[in-house]
Amino acid sequence: MATGDLQHRLERVLLGGPRRYTRLEVAERAGVPEERSRRLWRALGFATVDDTEAVFTDADVEAMRTTDQLVHSGLVEADFEVAVTRALGQHLSRLAEWQVHLLWTLITENPELARDDRQVARLVERLLPELEQVQNFVWRRHLAAYAARAFAAPDEDLETRTQVVGFVDMVGYTRLTRQIDEDELSQVLDAFESLATEVIAEHHGRVVKMIGDEVLFVADEPAAAAEIALTLTERTSAAPDRPAVRAGLASGRILSRLGDVYGSVVNLAARLTSVARPGTILVDRELAGALESRPEFDLRTRRPVAVRGYHRLRPSALRRARDEPSGRFASAQQQAAEMLGLAETVEEAAEPEATAEDLTVGSRRRRRRR
């Protein structure tokens, strides 16, 4: 395959035409100040180019002009322009990398394609409109979903509001990377990402980002967040070829900015995850209080732990409620546990892999009515 020739053909297809303008010429044609065009180009994540290099196309001129119009229309505030551009560049860069990987895999697995540069270029030219159509559809569906939520509560601040933040990560990921090859690791990550995306969407949560072996998500309802963490833990445990997971959940006001989330609640959820044992879900006091009236959940208060930024963090372990023992044995068992200040049941006291900081000191479980 003549890589140089193919690269030029693909560029013409993907960039919408030949490279013909310098950055200064783009700024002039779009009517955008030179320094501002430089800031936007860098914010998009593109390498800085010399002012004499003709690397821009007619599409670049039109994009710069459109960006300028968005600011003048008031849709994007001028002092927020670079931040919006940076977020757009980061998200679309990951999407583009993934799509090129798919294309390269298709070409390398079909040697007959690789023999003809023109055939590869035609393939890309045919697939590009379809990719754009799918991306546009997905974007509009997400736009409709967020718009519906925003206009359903017009008085609510969309940037700072109360939500549940959750982290779920695979245990022993670093050790795993040393034991398996790249193909196997890719399969493990794909399986985890697919499962996480499916479960979070199923319970009306939102994936904020995947961070290698970890997923960060948010949910509006406490019960939905609990279901997400429980379901992910259960389905992972049921697959012997997948690493165990652990989770940390916290509830409170968070700052949502350009698709990411920030604030002490996010930090707290991360800290809870770091001290959770495999197969365990730890929640903060705020979320435990919101879930304690739900009979389908079992919350066991743990001993205080010290983590970075929190000297006496007192989490609760979240599990599904189970049928409790009945009769005289159950009463004696309960009384002994309360006197000792330990587990509420013998089953809890005998929980495997328990550590000193994981000992139960109380329970928020509501007894089921039979």
Side-chain angles (χ1 to χ4, degrees), residues 21-60:
Y21 305 118
T22 66
R23 187 183 59 81
L24 296 178
E25 288 172 336
V26 170
E28 181 182 359
R29 287 174 174 271
V32 177
E34 181 270 334
E35 182 56 34
R36 182 166 163 230
S37 71
R38 184 195 301 273
R39 289 198 307 270
L40 293 176
W41 182 254
R42 289 174 177 172
L44 285 169
F46 299 130
T48 302
V49 296
D50 189 88
D51 289 343
T52 62
E53 292 186 72
V55 297
F56 299 97
T57 69
D58 290 314
D60 291 309

Side-chain angles (χ1 to χ4, degrees), residues 5 52 56 70 95 119 131 146 155 235 237-238 247 308 334:
D5 292 341
T52 62
F56 299 97
L70 288 175
L95 179 63
Q119 188 173 350
L131 281 175
Y146 283 111
D155 297 330
R235 292 190 185 178
S237 300
R308 183 161 56 90
Q334 175 72 21

Side-chain angles (χ1 to χ4, degrees), residues 28-311:
E28 181 182 359
R29 287 174 174 271
V32 177
E34 181 270 334
E35 182 56 34
R36 182 166 163 230
S37 71
R38 184 195 301 273
R39 289 198 307 270
L40 293 176
W41 182 254
R42 289 174 177 172
L44 285 169
F46 299 130
T48 302
V49 296
D50 189 88
D51 289 343
T52 62
E53 292 186 72
V55 297
F56 299 97
T57 69
D58 290 314
D60 291 309
V61 175
E62 186 59 33
M64 188 68 69
R65 185 181 293 121
T66 302
T67 302
D68 186 57
Q69 291 171 352
L70 288 175
V71 173
H72 287 300
S73 70
L75 181 61
V76 177
E77 297 180 9
D79 57 355
F80 204 45
E81 178 185 49
V82 172
V84 171
T85 305
R86 184 184 303 113
L88 187 65
Q90 290 174 352
H91 289 296
L92 293 183
S93 173
R94 294 184 62 189
L95 179 63
E97 181 182 8
W98 168 72
Q99 290 172 340
V100 169
H101 175 74
L102 288 182
L103 176 63
W104 182 252
T105 302
L106 175 64
I107 293 173
T108 54
E109 291 181 353
N110 295 273
E112 66 278 5
L113 286 176
R115 297 192 189 100
D116 188 347
D117 291 354
R118 290 184 176 85
Q119 188 173 350
V120 174
R122 285 196 297 269
L123 173 65
V124 174
E125 194 169 11
R126 191 180 77 247
L127 291 178
L128 192 60
E130 297 180 6
L131 281 175
E132 290 178 334
Q133 185 176 0
V134 171
Q135 288 170 189
N136 191 50
F137 165 75
V138 174
W139 169 68
R140 286 180 175 272
R141 289 293 301 181
H142 281 297
L143 197 62
Y146 283 111
R149 186 169 63 186
F151 288 103
D155 297 330
E156 186 178 13
D157 187 344
L158 293 181
E159 280 198 341
T160 56
R161 56 200 183 99
T162 298
Q163 287 186 294
V164 180
V165 178
F167 284 89
V168 179
D169 76 353
M170 291 188 287
V171 179
Y173 175 76
T174 302
R175 182 176 64 253
L176 180 67
T177 60
R178 297 195 297 264
Q179 297 174 343
I180 61 178
D181 60 30
E182 293 178 355
D183 289 339
E184 291 174 308
L185 179 60
S186 178
Q187 292 175 8
V188 170
L189 291 174
D190 285 345
F192 177 65
E193 290 186 8
S194 298
L195 177 62
T197 302
E198 175 187 340
V199 171
I200 292 169
E202 180 182 344
H203 295 286
H204 306 286
R206 176 174 72 85
V207 175
V208 177
K209 55 187 173 184
M210 302 292 303
I211 316 170
D213 61 329
E214 184 174 56
V215 60
L216 166 60
F217 70 91
V218 294
D220 292 331
E221 298 297 329
E227 281 293 339
I228 289 170
L230 286 165
T231 304
L232 277 174
T233 303
E234 292 163 354
R235 292 190 185 178
T236 304
S237 300
D241 58 334
R242 296 178 188 172
V245 298
R246 58 182 180 177
L249 307 177
S251 177
R253 293 189 69 79
I254 63 172
L255 170 65
S256 297
R257 186 175 183 272
L258 301 177
D260 211 336
V261 291
Y262 306 88
S264 60
V265 175
V266 181
N267 296 334
L268 180 54
R271 301 294 182 269
L272 289 171
T273 308
S274 69
V275 297
R277 293 185 293 107
T280 301
I281 303 166
L282 295 183
V283 304
D284 74 328
R285 184 176 301 179
E286 188 77 17
L287 182 57
L291 294 174
E292 64 181 349
S293 62
R294 303 291 297 248
E296 65 268 36
F297 302 125
D298 178 10
L299 291 149
R300 304 294 180 93
T301 306
R302 301 300 193 186
R303 294 190 184 280
V305 295
V307 295
R308 183 161 56 90
Y310 300 89
H311 295 298

